[in-house]
Amino acid sequence: QAKFSYKFEPVDFSVFLIELVGKHQEKAGQREIHIESNIQTNGKIISVDKERMDIAISNILDNAIDYSPLGSKVNLVAQVTPTGVNIAISDKGIGIADTEQARLFTKFYRAENAKRTRTTGTGLGLYLAKHIIEAHGGSISYASKEGEGTTFTINLTDSPKVDQGKPQRAF
């Protein structure tokens, strides 16, 4: 298995999220989707590998945009918690069938309704997101109902639980 080192650095999480949302505005605009962000993490510093965390959160935000109806809204809410930050990304899209939720974070897995809605995709986005977030000592969870939408919730801690001196297992 491949190994690589995470490059943790202190990051102002408000600035990080505002920039991340900004990078997705054009794509959202093409589908007439409004990204509504409520970022209440002003001045909160979290130690993350910016590049990898961008990949993780972008995968979730991209899915919210891709699987939402044209002209709808995607919400990103971020707030400080006693141990770090909490980010929730919600959509009113296709949702995930109950029968498929257990496989959601599996490598190369794509739900049937996702394949019908958008024929391209590798099935790696959520798999990578989960592993990157967990490598940061965080967690990811979701709530979804088919036909009604999905909310992904990411919890990150102030201090990652990884040994920063050693290469981490890559998936």
Side-chain angles (χ1 to χ4, degrees):
Q1 290 207 323
K3 292 184 183 251
F4 59 89
S5 295
Y6 279 79
K7 296 181 207 99
F8 289 90
E9 61 184 296
V11 172
D12 180 323
F13 223 69
S14 292
V15 172
F16 173 78
L17 288 174
I18 289 165
E19 289 173 356
L20 187 140
V21 168
K23 289 191 283 189
H24 289 80
Q25 292 293 2
E26 183 180 345
K27 177 180 182 173
Q30 291 168 353
R31 301 198 72 239
E32 298 174 25
I33 290 174
H34 175 68
I35 302 173
E36 190 169 283
S37 57
N38 181 359
I39 300 170
Q40 300 175 9
T41 56
N42 290 353
K44 183 65 175 174
I45 306 296
I46 299 281
S47 184
V48 296
D49 181 313
K50 280 176 72 171
E51 187 178 321
R52 290 194 174 84
M53 189 56 64
D54 185 289
I55 291 167
I57 298 173
S58 287
N59 280 333
I60 297 162
L61 193 52
D62 278 339
N63 284 348
I65 293 166
D66 288 340
Y67 298 115
S68 289
L70 294 174
S72 65
K73 191 186 310 182
V74 168
N75 290 303
L76 183 146
V77 177
Q79 53 200 13
V80 174
T81 67
T83 57
V85 295
N86 173 288
I87 305 119
I89 298 171
S90 305
D91 65 61
K92 298 290 183 202
I94 62 174
I96 305 152
D98 290 345
T99 56
E100 301 198 64
Q101 290 186 12
R103 298 181 59 202
L104 194 59
F105 294 107
T106 306
K107 191 189 265 190
F108 303 121
Y109 180 72
R110 293 188 68 218
E112 288 305 316
N113 63 350
K115 290 182 207 172
R116 286 191 303 272
T117 303
R118 195 171 136 249
T119 56
T120 61
T122 62
L124 288 174
L126 291 176
Y127 172 79
L128 287 171
K130 182 178 196 293
H131 285 275
I132 290 168
I133 290 162
E134 288 178 351
H136 281 76
S139 64
I140 181 170
S141 59
Y142 65 92
S144 185
K145 189 162 170 86
E146 190 171 21
E148 294 183 20
T150 303
T151 298
F152 279 92
T153 303
I154 301 163
N155 284 295
L156 297 173
T157 61
D158 285 333
S159 50
K161 296 177 180 71
V162 298
D163 181 342
Q164 296 180 30
K166 294 183 180 172
Q168 302 300 313
R169 287 184 65 119
F171 327 126

